[in-house]
Amino acid sequence: MAVTFLQPGSPTRRFLGDFRESWIATGALAVVVLIVLLAVFAPWITPQDPYDIANLSLADARRPPGFVGSEGYVHVLGTDAQGRDLLSAILFGLRISLEMGLAAGLFSFVLGASLGILAAYLGGRFETAIMRFVDLQLSFPAILLALVLVALLGQGKGQLIVALVAAQYAYFARTAFGAAATERRKDYVEAAAATPLSGRRIILRHLLPNALPPLIVVATVQVANAIALEATLSFLGLGLPETEPSLGMLIANGFQYMMNGRYWISVYPGIALIVLIVAINLVGDQIRDQLNPRLRR
Amino acid sequence: MSAAFVSIAQVSKRFAPHLSLGDKLAAKLGGAVETRAVKAVTDVSLAIRRGETLGLVGESGCGKSTLGRLVAGITSPDAGVVELEGAPIRARGRKTTTRIQTVFQDPFASLDPRMRVGDTIAEGPLAHGLVPAGEGAKAFARRWLGTVGLEPDYVDRFPHQFSGGQRQRIAIARALAMKPDVLVCDEPVASLDVSIQAQIINLFLDLRRRLDLTMLFISHDLGVVRHLCDRVAVMYLGRIVEIGPTAELYGAPKHPYARALLEAVPKIEGGRAVFKPISGEIPSPLDPPPGCAFNPRCPLATDLCRAELPALRELAPDWRAACHYAR
């Protein structure tokens, strides 16, 4: 079968064309792609493996950007408190941050969208129970919930993802419910029920595809939020264990040296984090603008 | 009465307002919260005979669409039952028959905007095993597009690439692809241009003959109903007030409301368009008047009409009206 969705005039093609018209969004998307590529290929492009204990060198510790270390290469962004190359540490940190953000985003998407669409389809008591619980949770700060869960579950990648999903699925559930409840009332859903088609088919083939656009917007924004949330938890020392230094932990490690002028240990990981989050949000904003029919030209 | 193919027996449907906890509390404390239910359809009994087209007419809000949805099996009645050849069409909160299909009013809303029209047509038959999956389903959808007068090569297009009339043809193809015996049409031409309406009505006439369909045709357009239907039922405020053969009923309606409705159709007399609107508003279905529901607007109403609900009486062969004074 031909790739029909890229035919001229197809919605996907038009969507990509509109996206390219905004140079900010295109630039942001390029940045996101670049960061993802850097993170994925970090083991092959960084001068040093920051996890290798052999690379710890106290003689090279806390050196400023541009310092030529004892191993003979330039530490472009300086070194951290243990003498590791900061650029390498940042790229490996991005890897972990992105991994956590994407995993948390994906699982919250699946859980939240399922609950939201199911609530919209079934209505009645199920809807009331699910959506009131979601509302209750949305009125509670996400960071506080994540903190409590990490404290209960302990440290580790799996535990942290559970905490992030628990803090974030509610946004997906709310959005999915709103979109699906609107679609639910439309004639084509009634037509499907009048055929009759099974509830499973109505949900998967009609409600889900039509509720998807707003969910994609929430997904981009929530990946960025998950990364920020994970960084916050790691900064507070409650996120990942020492063996998995994400960006948040790098910032925390350099924090104590901020006051005596060794700014780079905290600031460069911080800049990397900000650039990543802002770029993802800009892409998400553009998608939202394009999917909102009222903003359509 | 001759044998009923679709039988609608003492069917009622009410819509209670959806009250939140706060509303309930406010209502208990005497707040101005509407707690009464709308009686959309009250105690309607009808028989649709095999092969006939029954027209259902009435003003907006008289319950004709709700009755259509009950016959189509989309909603369940609060009381009464709808049966097809003696078997209920719904069981345990679900529609159980595929032999009754529906064409909806607005073809811009009734087609899934994200589904190719070929998939829309083949979806039901695929789900019920009427066609094999794969290329067979596609050929099936192409055949149906041809049957309703569209280009078979349109199967891979999306609804937004079609005009209103074309979409309604697709919706008709979707309904007929299920091989129904009964087609419920809820104002299927009301949202189309007049020139397109004629095409769609001719399509209905053609398909009805070829596929031996039984139809319930809901419309507020009396001209369309006269053209298409064997019998007509007139609804007012949730009840059938008159039902009879189309030609006779149009010629000499027995119920004052049916008469008023037919007189309200603009006619050209002596080169001038004249029509007589029915005076007054349709009463609120929240609070129907006692007695005959038409009594506040009826020029012939008496104390009896204000006190006692008239039953649907047989006044001539196959012709019944619910009026104390109809002869």
Side-chain angles (χ1 to χ4, degrees), chain B residues 2-7 47-51 83-86 99 181-182 214:
Chain B
S2 54
F5 190 47
V6 179
S7 118
I48 307 176
R49 298 162 198 163
R50 178 166 228 146
E83 291 175 334
L84 176 65
E85 285 191 310
R99 294 171 63 200
D181 297 310
V182 181
T214 301

Side-chain angles (χ1 to χ4, degrees), chain A residues 4-168:
Chain A
T4 47
F5 71 93
L6 282 179
Q7 278 169 358
S10 79
T12 318
R13 178 85 163 247
R14 219 174 43 224
F15 187 87
L16 293 176
D18 285 354
F19 194 92
R20 275 196 359 224
E21 270 180 35
S22 160
W23 62 268
I24 295 180
T26 311
L29 183 63
V31 169
V32 173
V33 170
L34 181 71
I35 291 178
V36 169
L37 288 177
L38 285 174
V40 168
F41 294 107
W44 293 279
I45 56 177
T46 53
Q48 188 189 74
D49 178 0
Y51 301 149
D52 189 347
I53 314 256
N55 284 329
L56 298 184
S57 160
L58 288 180
D60 289 346
R62 300 188 289 278
R63 300 295 187 170
F67 170 75
V68 181
S70 49
E71 283 157 50
Y73 56 82
V74 183
H75 294 289
V76 182
L77 298 181
T79 60
D80 72 1
Q82 280 80 43
R84 286 181 293 210
D85 179 47
L86 199 54
L87 179 63
S88 308
I90 289 174
L91 292 187
F92 274 85
L94 277 172
R95 213 175 142 84
I96 293 167
S97 291
L98 274 171
E99 205 181 303
M100 302 307 291
L102 287 175
L106 183 72
F107 288 127
S108 339
F109 187 113
V110 173
L111 178 66
S114 307
L115 286 175
I117 294 178
L118 215 54
Y121 178 73
L122 294 174
R125 284 169 202 279
F126 187 82
E127 173 197 319
T128 311
I130 297 278
M131 295 321 292
R132 288 301 82 75
F133 186 78
V134 163
D135 286 343
L136 193 72
Q137 208 189 311
L138 283 176
S139 64
F140 199 71
I143 178 77
L144 220 57
L145 187 71
L147 269 173
V148 170
L149 277 171
V150 167
L152 285 174
L153 299 171
Q155 288 193 324
K157 274 190 178 176
Q159 289 89 322
L160 189 59
I161 290 174
V162 169
L164 293 175
V165 169
Q168 292 196 303

Side-chain angles (χ1 to χ4, degrees), chain B residues 72-86:
Chain B
I74 296 168
T75 48
S76 58
D78 299 320
V81 65
V82 179
E83 291 175 334
L84 176 65
E85 285 191 310

Side-chain angles (χ1 to χ4, degrees), chain B residues 75-318:
Chain B
T75 48
S76 58
D78 299 320
V81 65
V82 179
E83 291 175 334
L84 176 65
E85 285 191 310
I89 62 166
R90 287 177 66 94
R92 278 173 278 114
R94 285 185 56 85
K95 185 180 176 184
T96 50
T97 181
T98 62
R99 294 171 63 200
I100 301 180
Q101 292 295 321
T102 319
V103 176
F104 293 85
Q105 173 175 2
D106 182 2
F108 287 86
S110 71
L111 300 174
D112 186 337
R114 288 182 189 272
M115 198 177 252
R116 290 173 204 284
V117 298
D119 294 335
T120 294
I121 292 171
E123 187 183 26
L126 271 173
H128 290 278
L130 301 180
V131 283
E135 283 306 305
K138 193 153 189 172
F140 175 83
R142 291 175 61 95
R143 265 202 315 280
W144 271 108
L145 281 177
T147 305
V148 295
L150 291 173
E151 189 60 52
D153 289 339
Y154 290 168
V155 276
D156 283 327
R157 294 201 179 179
F158 287 95
H160 70 87
Q161 293 169 289
F162 294 93
S163 69
Q166 289 174 318
R167 287 181 190 219
Q168 196 60 298
R169 286 173 189 269
I170 294 163
I172 292 167
R174 166 179 61 188
L176 295 180
M178 290 299 293
K179 298 255 177 280
D181 297 310
V182 181
L183 195 62
V184 176
C185 305
D186 185 4
E187 305 251 14
V189 296
S191 63
L192 303 176
D193 288 347
V194 176
S195 59
I196 309 295
Q197 285 188 3
Q199 292 177 13
I200 297 293
I201 286 163
N202 286 334
L203 179 65
F204 273 124
L205 284 169
D206 177 41
L207 292 170
R208 179 178 70 183
R209 186 173 45 75
R210 279 162 59 186
L211 303 171
D212 192 22
L213 287 170
T214 301
M215 286 171 59
L216 176 65
F217 194 92
I218 301 163
S219 182
H220 62 258
D221 186 329
L222 296 164
V224 169
V225 168
R226 178 177 215 168
H227 189 61
L228 209 58
C229 300
D230 306 309
R231 286 197 301 151
V232 194
V234 181
M235 253 185 115
Y236 187 74
L237 218 66
R239 291 176 192 273
I240 304 278
V241 295
E242 183 164 359
I243 178 167
T246 307
E248 284 88 336
L249 195 150
Y250 272 66
K254 294 189 185 295
H255 194 284
Y257 175 67
R259 202 175 307 140
L261 198 64
L262 287 166
E263 278 172 2
V265 177
K267 288 188 245 353
I268 310 242
E269 273 172 21
R272 288 177 58 204
V274 291
F275 73 100
K276 230 164 77 187
I278 305 176
S279 63
E281 289 287 319
I282 190 162
S284 165
L286 284 171
D287 193 15
C292 173
F294 189 57
N295 79 62
R297 300 166 81 185
C298 185
L300 312 170
T302 62
D303 286 340
L304 177 64
C305 301
R306 284 180 274 272
E308 198 177 306
L309 180 72
L312 205 55
R313 292 179 297 132
E314 182 127 15
L315 300 171
D318 202 24

